[in-house]
Amino acid sequence: MRQIWAIIYSYFYRPAMGTIVIERLIVPSQGGQTDEATAKNAIAPAQTAIEAIESLAAGSPYLVGSEASIANFYVIPIFIYISQTPDFEVITPQTPKLRTWWEKVS
C-alpha cells in the first residue's frame, strides 16, 4: 500500500489535480480559457503514474488488498474530478483494474 500511496502523492496528484483539473474544470468555471498546451503536457505524467498504480493495485474490491485503505480515499476525490474531463479516457485505457474499481466505487 505504501508504494501506491507514494505514487499517488508524488506523481499522480500534481498532473491530475494541479494541472488537468485546474485547466479543464476550474479555469473555465471562473470564466477563463483552458491552456490546452498545459493540460495536454500533464497527460503523459498522469498516465505514467496511473499505469504504475495499476501494476500494483489489486483492483477489486479495493485498490490494495481486501480492506479499504488510505490509498482508496486519496484516489477517489482525484478520480471524481479527473473523470469529469475528456482526459480521463486518454489517461485510463491501459488500466482495467482501476477502471473496474472506479465503476464500483463511483
Side-chain angles (χ1 to χ4, degrees), residues 13-91:
Y13 186 86
R14 182 177 294 251
M17 293 296 288
T19 304
I20 294 170
V21 168
I22 287 175
E23 287 297 329
R24 298 279 188 216
L25 302 178
I26 306 301
V27 170
S29 75
Q30 296 180 351
Q33 186 96 12
T34 296
D35 182 335
E36 288 297 326
T38 299
K40 287 182 181 181
N41 286 336
I43 290 172
Q47 191 171 34
T48 299
I50 204 166
E51 288 172 3
I53 295 165
E54 171 81 8
S55 72
L56 298 169
S60 182
Y62 303 104
L63 283 179
V64 183
S66 60
E67 295 182 9
S69 68
I70 190 78
N72 289 280
F73 298 110
Y74 202 63
V75 173
I76 288 171
I78 298 170
F79 267 47
I80 286 171
Y81 288 105
I82 197 115
S83 68
Q84 296 176 46
T85 74
D87 301 313
F88 183 75
E89 295 302 322
V90 177
I91 293 168

Side-chain angles (χ1 to χ4, degrees), residues 1-9 52-53 56-58 63-64 71 75:
M1 179 190 71
R2 184 175 288 162
Q3 290 173 325
I4 288 179
W5 188 85
I7 293 167
I8 295 164
Y9 183 76
I53 295 165
L56 298 169
L63 283 179
V64 183
V75 173

